[in-house]
Every structure is written in structure tokens, then in C-alpha cells.
Amino acid sequence: MRDLTFFQLTEVFGLEQATNAVMKEYVDISYGPWRVPVWASAGQYAGSLLLAIAAWRSGLFGTVRAVMLLLAGGTWMGVLKGASIPDVLVTGLLAVALVPLGAQVLRDRLPVPAGRPKVLSW
């Protein structure tokens, strides 16, 4: 929506005047009152790290699945973020890591932690 507004400003005021207006007000236009949630969303990285470590230490996930969870937590989130092939692959890794756990839960077989995790395990 913002991009369309900026293009329309260019048509009405001309390129130089529209560019000056956008560059002067861009931060306020782009974030404005949403600045706090944007900064808080940085917590997804710390949260995914803690979640991966907790799943690994509890024995629920092996090393490989914990790393998959960690990688998926590091992808950019949001509606306007561009996605590339690696982003899609990393999101696929999350599905691969979580599908076995979801299948167990759907069968009413809650997973039993494996105890002390091995360094290299699924």
C-alpha cells in the first residue's frame, strides 16, 4: 500500500519532490506506532534458540531436528518480506522436524524424552 502511495506522489509532485518527502518521513511512515512490535519481533531469534536447546536437552529432539528448528526460527517473518528458495527449503526443514512429533501427538502417543541427548542424533 505504501509503495502505491509513493508512486502516486511521484505522478502528482514529480520525482525530486516525492523522493524528498519519502526520505524525510520514511521511518515514521514505515513503522510509526508499530515500532515496538517490530523491535519485539527480534525476540523470535532468541526464542527459537531457547526452544531448540530445550528440545535437544530434554531429549525430545535429536541434534539434527534441533538444528532444523533453529534454522527455521532464523528466517525472516512478515507479509512484505521477500522469500527465496533457501527460505522455502528452511521452512520445509521445520516441517520435516515437526511432522514425526505431530504424528505421535495425533495418535495419542505423547513422546517420551530419550534421556541424555547424543551429540549426533535425529
Side-chain angles (χ1 to χ4, degrees), residues 37-56:
V38 167
W39 279 98
S41 71
Q44 81 182 32
Y45 303 111
S48 66
L49 175 65
L50 291 175
L51 189 60
I53 290 171
W56 181 76

Side-chain angles (χ1 to χ4, degrees), residues 51-63:
L51 189 60
I53 290 171
W56 181 76
R57 286 193 41 106
S58 71
L60 190 62
F61 279 10
T63 306

